[in-house]
Amino acid sequence: MVGVLMGRRLPLAVCFVFGLVMFLQYFSEHPVAINLNQTILDYWQIVFAFTLIVGIFTYFKNNVTQISRGSDRPFRLVGLAGFVSMPLLALIWGIKADTPFMWMFENVQAPMQSTVFALLAFFVASASFRGFRARSLPAAVLLLSALLMLLSRSNIGGFFSEGLPEIANWIRDYPSMAARRAILIGIGLGSLTTSLRVIIGIERTWLGGDK
Amino acid sequence: MSTAVLIFCTVSYHLILISVAGYSGWFNPDTVATLVASLISIAIVLFTTFYKRGGAAFKVREIAGLRAVEDAIGRATEMARPVLYTPGWGGDIQRPTTIASMNILSHIAEKTADYDCRLVYPTHDPVIMAVAQEVVKESYARVGFPDRYRAEDVAYVSSSQFGYAAAVDGLITRLQPASIFLLGTFEAESLILAETGNSINAIQIAGTDSTIQLSFFIVACDYTLIGEEVFAASGYLSGDKSILASVKAQDIMKVLIALFVVVAVIWSTIEAISNVPLSEWWVF
Amino acid sequence: MKRLEARHWTFLGLFVVVTITMLLNIKLEMKVSPYTQDMYTYIESLPEGSVLIISFDHEASSLPEIRPIALAVLRHAFKKGHKLIGVSLLAEGTLIGYRLMRQTADELDLEYGRDYAYLGFRPQYIAAILAMGESIQQTYPRDYLGAPYEQFELLNTVENYNDVAAVISIADGSLTTHWIEYGQARYGVKVLGAVTAAMVTTYDPYLASGQMYAMMGGLRGAAEYEKLIERDGGGARGMLAQSSAHLYVILLVVLGNIVYFVSRKQGGGS
């Protein structure tokens, strides 16, 4: 029990102290505060590197377990092949330009990622076809704004009217921006209260679910 | 927790003293406006959290997407299909949205454990995975079904944005989940995931703090939580008074910001009309 | 074989439209927007020899859009005689950034270490941005190729953001926000964005509030910039494909509404 309690209390205390220190150092330009900030940031990067090990280990373990159970075998085998081959190439020949690792990166990984990214264009088309319906007056206004924006962001907008880009920019700079600012303020306040709850220890989900 | 309040008050008092006296370079005068705004905000949050939460319960307006959570899980159970929950590629564990998303996950995990429905949680971040595993495990234990928890269902898939998108898309296509929860910080992968979910006719409940992705979710998902609703959601679902108190604090701060904006507008209008430069204390 | 659904036809239509447009060689005239003009004017107005940090904050996936944007900005900055320091906050942008800097520098026979330097990638972008505010050398003790920081003439003149005119974040996601929230807000460094089209509206509030100094966005921004610097970098051609896709989506929206109203008239609703 004492161990469990310490297990919760210690991270909570560390979180509180570092939360407070990082908050305070923001307002200081004293060399001590600057050095402290720099040191904490260095450690932050080091800790992050260790967290990757957790990901690598569980990815490998999960896939091997699933393959042995026969679930999604082809996909998992391809995943594991990439998982093993890329670090091997990096270890043997390094990761600078013109190495096998970079060849794989440029000719396998990058095109595959671009392909998935490109799906977005197709999904925008299908979502627009299905979703943009003038069901009500606000929906019709939204639809009209979207069409204006689409026209203005292509170089054919100018053919219809010289003023089209100006109208689109106005929509972007005023009604759209006002709505986004309101949402951003709400998000900012939500972030602030959540962060404070974490720092003072009443929000403990990040410790694994103890409310 | 009163210790935290005490520390806050002491620190604030000394901060103000230092800022007023300008002690030998310890305080950066350029940050005075930020300091004042921060202290006011913190004071409001602490006040509502520690003094108001003891009173009557706060009422949070109905959020359609959250009302639908139970139906979505019930549907998955009836169809004997899993529920898929993913927090997006844009967040890490220190991001408040991810923490808010964890609170919602905790609630959903309790329900899926109760209904004996499989919960699949792919993520791009090993730390999020570790925390989510604990959250789900504890939720399953809380409702009395620790044996139904499957650690391999809460998995790290890839740190790369479109590697993650492809992995989650693959899971959606193969597992055909009946309900999909997209709650967290999303970037360009949002529409790819939401449209794939739509193509298999899953009920989709989404919520994000990424303003640009909200439009995609609104088009492709059944319910969308907009920005701060994600933060309110955990309080709404759990009824936790401290979370609801912080929602109240947000409202108080919003009113103050609105008043501040009105004063600043009047101030700058007078300045523009009279052509006399006034103090710019409010600019930061 | 499974029957094709409506969405599959829309996908196929888009593929056909974009492919045909890419095969055509049409040159469309366009007006330079005030946003792109501001970005150009800022770089143009800096005194020769000003130091700029170019941060390649993108993944490989967005290269078709990022490449023309980056080429236009780099060519302009190098041509004006500015000194560029390249960094990357996303691992995948590292090599791409290095290649683009090298390519554009070689076009003008510039010398590595004197006219430009490339520091490469640092993990944990927030920590990296904050750390550079204190000391760039401590954040990057060595350059991308492994040589010590102090070995280069250019880097010896730069300690932190105080010695830098601005940071230009070339991004396909929200990383520019961190440059604004930490680099600009904490250290007061000017932040300019060269971002993909999808991210433009995300940064509008920062641009309007002055937290972001200038921004160019998407293939359109790249095409406009190419017009300003009178140098082709693929933006105009990409813009043609994008314009055709936009027209196609407009057509789909109109078609979707016709289907909706017809079915509603027939009592089917939607």
Side-chain angles (χ1 to χ4, degrees):
Chain A
M1 189 63 201
V2 174
V4 173
L5 219 58
M6 276 308 289
R8 295 275 186 220
R9 278 196 179 168
L10 190 64
L12 284 175
V14 170
C15 179
F16 180 73
V17 170
F18 279 92
L20 197 65
V21 167
M22 290 308 276
F23 173 72
L24 294 178
Q25 66 78 29
Y26 179 85
F27 301 102
S28 179
E29 52 184 7
H30 196 278
V32 174
I34 290 168
N35 283 335
L36 183 70
N37 184 23
Q38 180 74 46
T39 311
I40 292 174
L41 294 174
D42 288 345
Y43 275 100
W44 184 356
Q45 296 197 24
I46 294 165
V47 171
F48 172 75
F50 280 100
T51 65
L52 281 178
I53 299 170
V54 180
I56 291 165
F57 177 73
T58 49
Y59 182 84
F60 186 76
K61 192 179 142 214
N62 257 353
N63 279 286
V64 170
T65 315
Q66 298 290 337
I67 288 169
S68 64
R69 285 184 194 162
S71 108
D72 301 335
R73 205 169 259 171
F75 304 105
R76 293 183 188 279
L77 280 172
V78 171
L80 277 183
F83 178 84
V84 174
S85 61
M86 290 299 271
L88 269 181
L89 294 176
L91 281 172
I92 299 169
W93 288 285
I95 57 166
K96 298 284 181 239
D98 304 322
T99 55
F101 176 87
M102 277 307 166
W103 187 90
M104 286 284 280
F105 174 73
E106 287 184 320
N107 297 292
V108 180
Q109 190 176 338
M112 283 199 299
Q113 291 196 357
S114 293
T115 306
V116 181
F117 185 33
L119 284 178
L120 196 57
F122 293 95
F123 287 144
V124 164
S126 64
S128 312
F129 178 64
R130 201 185 55 248
F132 269 135
R133 302 277 158 89
R135 290 189 174 92
S136 59
L137 183 64
V141 173
L142 191 72
L143 178 74
L144 194 68
S145 311
L147 293 180
L148 281 172
M149 285 308 292
L150 275 170
L151 274 176
S152 77
R153 297 308 295 168
S154 57
N155 47 8
I156 37 173
F159 288 138
F160 294 94
S161 159
E162 276 295 310
L164 202 65
E166 271 76 31
I167 298 170
N169 284 344
W170 183 86
I171 294 172
R172 189 178 134 186
D173 289 347
Y174 296 98
S176 163
M177 178 114 64
R180 248 174 306 122
R181 275 191 175 144
I183 296 173
L184 280 174
I185 289 172
I187 292 167
L189 294 175
S191 300
L192 184 137
T193 54
T194 309
S195 306
L196 262 176
R197 286 208 314 267
V198 170
I199 291 173
I200 60 179
I202 53 172
E203 173 65 72
R204 298 174 186 187
T205 321
W206 60 278
L207 281 171
D210 181 12
K211 285 180 182 175
Chain B
M1 282 311 109
S2 52
T3 323
V5 180
L6 191 70
I7 293 175
F8 166 74
C9 293
T10 317
V11 169
S12 308
Y13 173 70
H14 283 97
L15 266 179
I16 292 163
L17 274 187
I18 290 169
S19 59
V20 170
Y23 285 167
S24 58
W26 275 101
F27 183 74
N28 178 1
D30 294 342
T31 59
V32 71
T34 315
L35 175 67
V36 172
S38 306
L39 292 180
I40 292 172
S41 311
I42 294 170
I44 292 169
V45 175
L46 291 178
F47 176 73
T48 51
T49 305
F50 292 110
Y51 295 98
K52 284 278 183 181
R53 69 173 174 172
F58 296 115
K59 193 169 160 27
V60 180
R61 73 174 161 80
E62 287 272 302
I63 300 172
L66 299 176
R67 251 196 348 251
V69 165
E70 188 133 4
D71 293 341
I73 301 168
R75 179 178 187 257
T77 313
E78 279 171 16
M79 294 171 81
R81 287 203 208 155
V83 166
L84 187 134
Y85 189 123
T86 190
W89 178 80
D92 40 29
I93 197 65
Q94 63 260 34
R95 200 173 171 101
T97 320
T98 311
I99 292 167
S101 174
M102 286 289 169
N103 278 324
I104 304 171
L105 171 69
S106 165
H107 178 82
I108 287 171
E110 281 180 11
K111 294 279 174 210
T112 53
D114 204 13
Y115 295 171
D116 195 12
C117 178
R118 187 178 170 198
L119 173 65
V120 181
Y121 185 96
T123 176
H124 73 290
D125 185 302
V127 184
I128 292 180
M129 178 205 69
V131 174
Q133 280 182 340
E134 283 299 310
V135 167
V136 175
K137 196 169 152 187
E138 205 155 306
S139 299
Y140 274 57
R142 211 164 28 240
V143 290
F145 300 106
D147 52 311
R148 290 180 182 169
Y149 168 69
R150 293 163 54 135
E152 68 271 20
D153 279 345
V154 182
Y156 163 77
V157 288
S158 170
S159 295
S160 149
Q161 182 177 19
F162 293 103
Y164 160 78
V168 180
D169 256 11
L171 280 173
I172 293 173
T173 315
R174 292 195 300 276
L175 296 176
Q176 301 269 313
S179 310
I180 297 175
F181 293 91
L182 305 165
L183 294 162
T185 304
F186 288 79
E187 291 196 2
E189 75 282 1
S190 65
L191 188 66
I192 297 176
L193 304 184
E195 271 295 288
T196 309
N198 189 288
S199 72
I200 60 154
N201 297 317
I203 284 193
Q204 298 198 96
I205 299 176
T208 183
D209 60 342
S210 327
T211 50
I212 192 77
Q213 311 304 335
L214 280 169
S215 44
F216 291 143
F217 279 153
I218 288 167
V219 169
C221 296
D222 299 281
Y223 301 97
T224 306
L225 305 181
I226 297 173
E228 63 187 308
E229 286 179 347
V230 178
F231 298 101
S234 48
Y236 181 96
L237 289 171
S238 64
D240 185 317
K241 277 196 172 179
S242 70
I243 302 177
L244 290 172
S246 59
V247 176
K248 183 82 178 168
Q250 283 167 236
D251 285 349
I252 296 172
M253 286 189 275
K254 255 185 264 173
V255 172
L256 287 179
I257 289 172
L259 286 173
F260 184 79
V261 169
V262 171
V263 171
V265 166
I266 295 171
W267 191 279
S268 49
T269 309
I270 292 172
E271 191 180 28
I273 294 169
S274 63
N275 223 2
V276 179
L278 301 173
S279 160
E280 293 201 340
W281 59 269
W282 47 275
V283 178
F284 66 96
Chain C
M1 200 179 132
K2 222 174 144 184
R3 237 182 112 221
L4 291 183
E5 295 168 22
R7 66 193 176 93
H8 296 128
W9 289 111
T10 61
F11 296 163
L12 202 63
L14 182 66
F15 174 75
V16 171
V17 167
V18 172
T19 310
I20 291 174
T21 324
M22 289 299 278
L23 292 174
L24 300 172
N25 197 12
I26 310 166
K27 237 183 155 55
L28 289 172
E29 264 308 304
M30 76 177 75
K31 217 172 128 184
V32 176
S33 71
Y35 306 102
T36 312
Q37 183 66 54
D38 287 349
M39 178 100 172
Y40 174 85
T41 309
Y42 175 74
I43 296 178
E44 188 73 14
S45 63
L46 282 174
E48 192 183 323
S50 300
V51 179
L52 292 166
I53 289 181
I54 310 285
S55 185
F56 295 88
D57 306 329
H58 55 83
E59 293 208 309
S61 51
S62 53
L63 194 58
E65 194 174 2
I66 282 291
R67 194 182 148 81
I69 295 173
L71 281 178
V73 174
L74 288 170
R75 279 175 175 152
H76 184 210
F78 274 138
K79 201 175 159 195
K80 285 301 296 177
H82 302 322
K83 312 282 182 193
L84 306 189
I85 299 175
V87 297
S88 176
L89 298 183
L90 279 181
E92 285 186 19
T94 316
L95 178 74
I96 296 167
Y98 178 69
R99 286 254 160 98
L100 290 171
M101 273 188 95
R102 267 236 112 104
Q103 179 194 334
T104 43
D106 288 349
E107 287 169 3
L108 296 167
D109 286 330
L110 299 173
E111 189 186 320
Y112 185 84
R114 190 194 65 194
D115 301 308
Y116 71 104
Y118 196 73
L119 299 176
F121 169 69
R122 272 294 163 275
Q124 281 292 291
Y125 36 83
I126 296 174
I129 294 168
L130 289 170
M132 277 194 274
E134 305 298 345
S135 162
I136 297 177
Q137 183 172 8
Q138 215 173 317
T139 318
Y140 288 96
R142 290 173 179 274
D143 78 339
Y144 176 60
L145 302 170
Y149 187 94
E150 59 275 9
Q151 188 182 305
F152 301 105
E153 186 188 327
L154 165 63
L155 297 177
N156 274 323
T157 61
V158 181
E159 196 197 336
N160 53 32
Y161 298 137
N162 292 337
D163 306 311
V164 169
V167 172
I168 302 178
S169 170
I170 300 173
D172 61 358
S174 59
L175 269 176
T176 314
T177 317
H178 300 299
W179 276 112
I180 297 164
E181 287 174 354
Y182 298 96
Q184 196 276 333
R186 178 78 171 87
Y187 295 100
V189 66
K190 268 198 182 100
V191 176
L192 291 86
V195 302
T196 50
M199 298 310 295
V200 166
T201 45
T202 304
Y203 297 118
D204 275 344
Y206 297 109
L207 191 65
S209 67
Q211 288 165 291
M212 184 190 243
Y213 196 78
M215 172 175 69
M216 63 180 281
L219 283 171
R220 188 185 170 95
E224 289 170 358
Y225 215 97
E226 283 169 9
K227 188 179 173 184
L228 287 167
I229 60 170
E230 294 167 349
R231 176 84 198 256
D232 186 30
R237 195 169 160 74
M239 193 55 206
L240 192 64
Q242 184 176 299
S243 299
S244 67
H246 280 192
L247 266 185
Y248 176 70
V249 170
I250 291 170
L251 197 76
L252 282 180
V253 172
V254 173
L255 197 70
N257 276 279
I258 293 171
V259 171
Y260 168 68
F261 282 112
V262 168
S263 60
R264 206 168 72 162
K265 215 172 176 181
Q266 289 168 354
S270 178

